[in-house]
Amino acid sequence: MVDPVPMTLRAYRRLTAAAAPLASLWIGRRLKQGKEDPARVGERRGISKDVRPYGPLVWIHGASVGEVLAAAGLIERLRALNLRILLTSGTLTSAEVVASRFPPDIIHQFIPYDAPRFVDRFLDHWRPSLALFIESDLWPNLILAASARRVPMVLINGRMSQRSFPRWQRASATIGALLGRFDICLAQSRIDAERFSALGSPSVITTGNLKMDVAPPPADPARLERLLAVTRGRPVIVAASTHPGEEELLIDAHRRLTASFPTLLSVIVPRHPHRGEQVAGLVEAAGLPVALRSREQQPMAATAIYVADTMGELGLFYRLAPIVFMGGSLVEHGGQNPIEPVKLGAAIVHGPHVSNFTDIYRALDDEGGAFAVPDVDALVLRISSLLSNHDARQISITAATNVVDRLGGALDRTIAALEPYLLQLQIEQGAANA
């Protein structure tokens, strides 16, 4: 029996219903900020130009790029069963990733704003047969409305951070009413599973982290060959997915490293490509030669720092550099996923703030597959050591590869947990095709 809706969620529903007429103002503001696609703003109100395909439809929702990429392997398995996929996310960047890296038959929609009328339109139009929510992007009206329509819901790759858990404990009735509407919670780790159980998930299975099973990002061979040609003979390091406040530290690190490595090229890949001009301005203010990839500039011999402010090209730069600093970790963001550069043979360095991927970094650090640095001084020393010592670098890369291989398998366990639902959908698919 489904728990009754607590007062907090009833109040939330009334508030969001009353605020729905203000959606135009909110959308207008986001359009000015470059955070919405003008051609697709209707999707934020649950209005779609796309037609729902015939037969069963699996709806997968992830907040942004990381969650969407985590679902890539799962989506391939579902496609192999001839199931159609609706993939929703909340950011322009994630939409661009879907367009560039996913098969064309994957239907992408922006998740509607969580107002009852928008959510109802969305669900009435798409009528999902199964809903899979990735990690912890839980919108109350969306969950309650899907539950009311008896849509089976599963939380996959579930994560409950150390910071979020006590906050949700203080709102136990609210989170319990939401988690109680999921059939199963598939958690990344034993600790995540314990937290979800404590907060009200009726059935929890530890399946591991799908992000451990992601395939390496692709790279255009011709573009990679061009980059290898223009950087040949230079030591190269990549700072991936950097955040505000971090680039200044990396620029300082580059300057100090050039005392020992005068031809060093540092590639800074901002997490949000639209910040490329801003990052380039910081480099220029430091008196260093800079080039921007979005301007189709190449890192020539005089370039000190190359700002790679384009979408979908991390695979190029992970293949270019033997050492990768993972951004979002020298500032209090929580870190970014190191699995992709590990799979492409890079040595990993990161700052102290990696709460988004605690288990992964702990395993890598413990085995010597990654190196934690508390500040920019330690960062300079660690990168200098890795640049100077090829053998030590290779030992770290091998250790990291072994850790990732050992911690993999979440995709197989997730598919196994979903098997009863998938069998039912295949039966429905066969009936629809008969």
Side-chain angles (χ1 to χ4, degrees), residues 216-377:
D220 180 89
R223 293 180 181 180
L224 178 58
E225 182 57 38
R226 172 65 172 155
L227 283 170
L228 290 170
V230 298
T231 60
R232 190 162 289 126
R234 299 183 67 179
V236 181
I237 60 174
V238 165
S241 298
T242 61
H243 288 256
E246 207 161 35
E247 289 91 6
E248 294 92 336
L249 301 174
L250 295 165
I251 293 166
D252 179 38
H254 172 92
R255 187 194 298 280
R256 292 157 65 177
L257 284 164
T258 54
S260 301
F261 307 95
T263 62
L264 176 68
L265 174 68
S266 293
V267 180
I268 296 179
V269 187
R271 175 68 172 173
H272 302 290
H274 67 82
R275 295 186 56 246
E277 295 282 350
Q278 176 189 348
V279 175
L282 295 173
V283 179
E284 291 172 344
L288 296 173
V290 63
L292 265 79
R293 188 156 184 84
S294 61
R295 296 178 186 167
E296 300 186 359
Q297 297 170 343
Q298 293 291 332
M300 308 310 291
T303 304
I305 294 181
Y306 192 42
V307 180
D309 55 338
T310 52
M311 276 298 303
E313 291 196 310
L314 261 177
L316 280 176
F317 300 107
Y318 287 156
R319 287 171 171 85
L320 182 69
I323 301 166
V324 172
F325 167 79
M326 293 308 304
S329 62
L330 278 176
V331 293
E332 294 188 11
H333 174 76
Q336 302 294 159
N337 187 0
I339 301 307
E340 289 184 341
V342 167
K343 290 191 173 183
L344 290 173
I348 306 299
V349 183
H350 63 90
H353 305 291
V354 291
S355 59
N356 291 340
F357 301 93
T358 302
D359 294 337
I360 296 173
Y361 278 108
R362 182 185 294 119
L364 289 171
D365 292 348
D366 288 348
E367 299 293 329
F371 301 98
V373 294
D375 51 36
V376 70
D377 294 334

Side-chain angles (χ1 to χ4, degrees), residues 55 60 63 71 126 129 145 171 180 187 203 218 230 239 305 308 320 328 342 385 388 392 406 429:
I60 302 175
W126 291 108
S129 310
S203 177
V230 298
I305 294 181
L320 182 69
V342 167
S385 174
S388 302
R406 185 178 77 244
Q429 183 74 63

Side-chain angles (χ1 to χ4, degrees), residues 376-405:
V376 70
D377 294 334
L379 175 66
V380 170
L381 289 173
R382 178 58 68 183
I383 291 179
S384 179
S385 174
L386 289 170
L387 285 171
S388 302
N389 193 329
H390 176 272
D391 290 344
R393 197 166 66 234
Q394 288 305 123
I395 290 171
S396 178
I397 291 168
T398 300
T401 301
N402 291 338
V403 168
V404 170
D405 288 345

Side-chain angles (χ1 to χ4, degrees), residues 4-45:
V5 178
M7 182 179 65
T8 52
L9 290 178
R10 294 199 301 271
Y12 174 84
R13 183 176 179 83
R14 289 193 297 270
L15 181 62
T16 51
L22 302 177
S24 295
L25 296 176
W26 179 243
I27 290 172
R29 180 181 178 186
R30 288 177 57 84
L31 284 169
K32 290 179 181 178
Q33 295 172 335
K35 295 181 178 180
E36 296 286 355
D37 182 343
R40 297 178 60 182
V41 292
E43 294 171 25
R44 294 300 198 176
R45 298 186 179 93

